[in-house]
Amino acid sequence: MQKFMNNLSRFMAILGGIVLTALIILVCVSVLGRTLNSLLHSAPVVAVLGDFAKTLLDAGVGPILGDFELVEAGVAFAIFAFIPFCQITGGHATVDIFTSMLPLKVNRLLQMVIDIVFAGVLILIAMQLYEGMLSKMQYRETTFLLQFPVWWSYAASLVAAVVSAIVSVYIAIIRVGEFFGNRTILAIGGADH
Amino acid sequence: MTNLEIGMASFPVLLTLIFLRVPIGLAMFLVGLFGLYFTTGSFNMAFSRLKSETYSTFSSYSLSIIPMFLLMGHFATLGGMSQSLFKAAEAWLGHRKGGVAMSAVGACAGFGAICGSSLATAATMSQVALPELRRYGYAGGFSTATLAAGGTLGILIPPSVILVVYAILTEQNIAKLFLSAFVPGILAAIGYMITIAVYARIHPDRAGTARERMPYPERLRALRDVWPVLTVFLVVVGGIYLGVFTPTEGAAVGALGTGLIAIVNGGLNRHSFVESFMATARSTAMIFFIVLGAAFYNGFLALTQLPQSLSTYVAELGLSPWMVLTVILLLYLVFGAVMDSLSMILLTIPIFFPIISALDFGMTPEEVAIWFGILVLIVVEVGLITPPVGMNLFVINSMDRLTPMIETYKAVMYFVASDIIRVIILVLFPGITLFALRLLY
């Protein structure tokens, strides 16, 4: 089970990373296209290339239409997909100078309560995201330039949000086991950023 | 309870939760959620905000700069750029007294120019510089302190994740903030080098031996090896300043460029690619959860009208603006010693920024906003190297098991002093921070 959850979280993180990389390439292509486009419109280039400049422009050399809409949709998915890995490796920023003085048993109790609440919050977030998606479907909201339905991006994020909720419930169950069984199953890493 | 009282009561609750090791983002989220419940009488408003707020926070175009810059930093780490930066700095500075330590600071500054994170800069440069410092006989505590301080240049020199967040919170122009952060960042690097020179005079036995002086052809050759870093920095930062592209586009170009350099240098294969995704995933999720929690908490605070009331109250007290600024900066120094810098910015700026904006410093509102942003950036970074819990100190010390923490603590106080002197100078002379801005815009 632990192996499955670990692999699931890693898989989501890699998927998010791939989407992020794709967005980076997309933005770069768009910047390149825009730069070439304005170059091809400039007088010296037109003088040298003549009609070829126009041919290139007609062929569609220019910025990618609605690139920032794709960035917004993609980056939301990527961030939701990053959450499970952060949960399972305990990557969240915390202040532990005060709790480190407390006995282990108390710390386990704290960690159990925190992770149960965290799971609850992530479930709530996923549920409300689903509600949000339903209302976007109902009003048939589309993006401004590309005209694709907004609920598509919500749906993609929802998948990742549901995985986050599942992983965090699993972690909460582990913490309960740790508290009552008096042993460490899943170590907590420190924050790195 | 009036709404204002609920707002005020939320502070101690929030701090208690944070000190009970509740993740900071989660703590802000919870206090915001229940705060909205107490001010509106039901969860309806909180829940309906959640329907779109999580998505809109995560899908923000301006915030998408953060994962891109983080990925860029990880590519830079893997691409062997730290090595060539350190070699180049050593060729120019290594023969001075304390020169190898100065080189480490110089290389940190260079690495900071392509990496927006302090801990990443400190950790990366340590791998390269710590063995070298040891070989030339530098004392352990002095070496770790140097790298911890040098690491803060990662965030002081743009691009900087914290400045992006500040810009969004206060609705300022990211390009202008980056531009204004540049000179204070360079001053920080120079200040650290002076600190090293002073330390080497006071404790000559701990500051190692100098390297042999390098002839100029060799120095130039070492400089030639850092051109990829320079190119990426110039394209990204120059492009953003000149308005060729948006900050997000700049981050994308930088990430792609750094990734390609890393591939060419052989630092990036399938395994390390996955590793950089993992590291990016962890820090991105952490940062965005804090951003989400803060958005929720600040939404609640705005509803209680606490920030407005507080800023009116402070303005009517008739205190000197400089006095108020000093108190705020001191608060940051104290909190910075226990809390991570991003959470601190997200938590406090919505409250402190209106206060500062309502005061008259004899500058335009935009200049005050930018100047204050840079000052805050510096003081929260001081927290990263302030004993007992500065995060940079822990990161470096975990990489050098031979040096007891207390040795690092002793040596790092010199760098903290240098930071505090720099903050005082920048407070007294806002022109140092703002002249580039006044010149170019």
Side-chain angles (χ1 to χ4, degrees):
Chain A
M1 189 65 174
Q2 190 167 348
K3 195 159 180 179
F4 172 74
M5 287 294 168
N6 266 327
N7 286 339
L8 181 64
S9 313
R10 280 179 71 91
F11 172 76
M12 291 305 285
I14 293 171
L15 202 60
I18 291 171
V19 170
L20 183 64
T21 311
L23 293 177
I24 286 170
I25 293 170
L26 172 90
V27 171
C28 289
V29 170
S30 186
V31 170
L32 188 71
R34 192 177 63 211
T35 315
L36 285 179
N37 184 287
S38 48
L39 269 181
L40 290 172
H41 275 110
S42 66
V45 175
V46 172
V48 175
L49 289 181
D51 280 347
F52 187 57
K54 196 171 166 359
T55 319
L56 281 176
L57 284 173
D58 288 342
V61 173
I64 295 170
L65 180 74
D67 57 345
F68 71 92
E69 289 174 358
L70 293 172
V71 169
E72 289 181 347
V75 84
F77 168 77
I79 292 165
F80 272 112
F82 288 159
I83 291 179
F85 187 68
C86 187
Q87 296 297 121
I88 211 157
T89 54
H92 287 289
T94 53
V95 174
D96 51 11
I97 49 163
F98 298 103
T99 49
S100 58
M101 295 176 236
L102 299 172
L104 182 64
K105 187 81 182 166
V106 178
N107 267 308
R108 283 205 175 119
L109 177 67
L110 271 179
Q111 197 59 49
M112 177 178 80
V113 175
I114 290 168
D115 280 324
I116 290 173
V117 174
F118 216 146
V121 164
L122 286 173
I123 292 171
L124 177 69
I125 286 177
M127 277 167 54
Q128 293 310 104
L129 191 67
Y130 175 70
E131 293 287 328
M133 184 186 80
L134 288 187
S135 74
K136 298 288 172 200
M137 275 168 102
Q138 199 184 344
Y139 295 110
R140 297 171 195 280
E141 216 176 300
T142 57
T143 64
F144 183 63
L145 288 174
L146 293 175
Q147 298 279 316
F148 68 84
V150 175
W151 75 265
W152 289 3
S153 354
Y154 267 73
S157 295
L158 182 62
V159 174
V162 168
V163 177
S164 310
I166 293 172
V167 170
S168 65
V169 168
Y170 165 74
I171 294 170
I173 294 171
I174 294 257
R175 297 294 177 222
V176 174
E178 282 181 345
F179 175 68
F180 288 104
N182 243 333
R183 63 204 173 100
T184 300
I185 305 167
L186 196 67
I188 310 162
D192 64 343
H193 59 107
Chain B
M1 267 174 123
T2 64
N3 282 354
L4 201 60
E5 284 166 348
I6 298 176
M8 282 194 259
S10 71
F11 279 120
V13 175
L14 182 61
L15 283 183
T16 312
L17 285 178
I18 289 174
F19 289 150
L20 283 175
R21 219 184 56 206
V22 177
I24 296 168
L26 180 65
M28 287 197 265
F29 184 91
L30 289 172
V31 175
L33 190 73
F34 286 96
L36 280 174
Y37 172 78
F38 285 117
T39 37
T40 62
S42 77
F43 278 119
N44 289 345
M45 185 179 175
F47 282 15
S48 70
R49 280 188 59 180
L50 260 187
K51 282 186 197 171
S52 56
E53 190 152 325
T54 329
Y55 180 81
S56 60
T57 307
F58 289 0
S59 71
S60 151
Y61 181 74
S62 20
L63 281 176
S64 66
I65 190 174
I66 292 176
M68 292 183 188
F69 270 143
L70 288 173
L71 191 61
M72 173 172 160
H74 290 299
F75 283 163
T77 309
L78 295 166
M81 291 177 194
S82 42
Q83 187 79 39
S84 51
L85 278 169
F86 185 63
K87 284 264 168 310
E90 227 184 358
W92 288 83
L93 296 166
H95 59 278
R96 293 170 182 275
K97 188 77 192 144
V100 184
M102 289 180 187
S103 314
V105 168
C108 281
F111 198 76
I114 44 168
C115 179
S117 151
S118 280
L119 293 183
T121 305
T124 310
M125 290 313 306
S126 297
Q127 282 168 1
V128 181
L130 276 182
E132 194 80 353
L133 285 162
R134 191 172 304 128
R135 186 173 341 141
Y136 285 94
Y138 284 76
F142 181 46
S143 311
T144 46
T146 302
L147 284 156
T152 65
L153 297 173
I155 244 165
L156 295 178
I157 295 180
S160 150
V161 170
I162 292 201
L163 274 187
V164 173
V165 172
Y166 179 85
I168 290 164
L169 279 176
T170 59
E171 295 172 351
Q172 296 300 317
N173 182 318
I174 295 179
K176 289 182 181 177
L177 272 164
F178 277 7
L179 181 69
S180 311
F182 195 68
V183 173
I186 298 295
L187 279 184
I190 296 172
Y192 289 157
M193 289 189 194
I194 296 174
T195 310
I196 290 168
V198 170
Y199 188 91
R201 296 264 177 302
I202 301 175
H203 304 286
D205 52 315
R206 297 188 193 180
T209 49
R211 289 178 54 117
E212 66 284 13
R213 182 183 285 268
M214 286 257 194
Y216 274 88
E218 217 152 306
R219 292 188 188 191
L220 291 175
R221 196 170 315 133
L223 211 53
R224 205 183 52 199
D225 288 340
V226 297
W227 72 265
V229 181
L230 270 179
T231 313
V232 169
F233 174 72
L234 287 179
V235 169
V236 171
V237 174
I240 296 175
Y241 290 157
L242 296 175
V244 179
F245 34 64
T246 63
T248 302
E249 288 170 348
V253 170
L256 187 69
T258 318
L260 291 178
I261 294 170
I263 290 172
V264 171
N265 286 359
L268 212 53
N269 50 33
R270 228 186 75 174
H271 173 74
S272 54
F273 220 86
V274 168
E275 282 314 303
S276 49
F277 282 169
M278 293 298 163
T280 307
R282 233 168 93 102
S283 25
T284 303
M286 179 204 83
I287 290 175
F288 275 82
F289 210 82
I290 297 174
V291 172
L292 175 70
F296 226 65
Y297 180 64
N298 292 328
F300 148 71
L301 272 191
L303 200 69
T304 67
Q305 307 244 317
L306 182 72
Q308 300 93 308
S309 314
L310 199 63
S311 69
T312 322
Y313 173 75
V314 173
E316 280 169 1
L317 277 180
L319 297 172
S320 140
W322 302 94
M323 171 93 142
V324 177
L325 179 70
T326 310
V327 171
I328 289 181
L329 293 180
L330 285 175
L331 274 177
Y332 275 115
L333 276 181
V334 173
F335 271 100
V338 290
M339 214 166 157
D340 112 290
S341 35
L342 184 75
S343 323
M344 216 159 57
I345 297 261
L346 281 162
L347 194 61
T348 56
I349 289 299
I351 295 158
F352 288 159
F353 186 66
I355 296 181
I356 289 293
S357 308
L359 299 172
D360 182 17
F361 288 94
M363 290 179 264
T364 67
E366 188 189 40
E367 284 182 343
V368 172
I370 288 174
W371 172 62
F372 181 61
I374 306 297
L375 290 176
V376 169
L377 178 75
I378 298 171
V379 283
V380 299
E381 284 311 298
V382 179
L384 280 179
I385 57 166
T386 309
V389 287
M391 291 261 250
N392 273 15
L393 302 175
F394 283 117
V395 171
I396 312 285
N397 244 74
S398 68
M399 301 177 76
D400 181 11
R401 298 276 180 206
L402 294 174
T403 306
M405 200 68 184
I406 190 76
E407 291 301 314
T408 311
Y409 283 174
K410 280 186 204 157
V412 87
M413 289 321 287
Y414 289 83
F415 293 98
V416 174
S418 144
D419 276 337
I420 290 173
I421 293 171
R422 176 160 36 91
V423 172
I424 294 173
I425 293 175
L426 292 177
V427 167
L428 293 179
F429 306 103
I432 299 175
T433 312
L434 296 170
F435 87 90
L437 187 74
R438 288 174 179 158
L439 209 66
L440 288 179
Y441 282 96

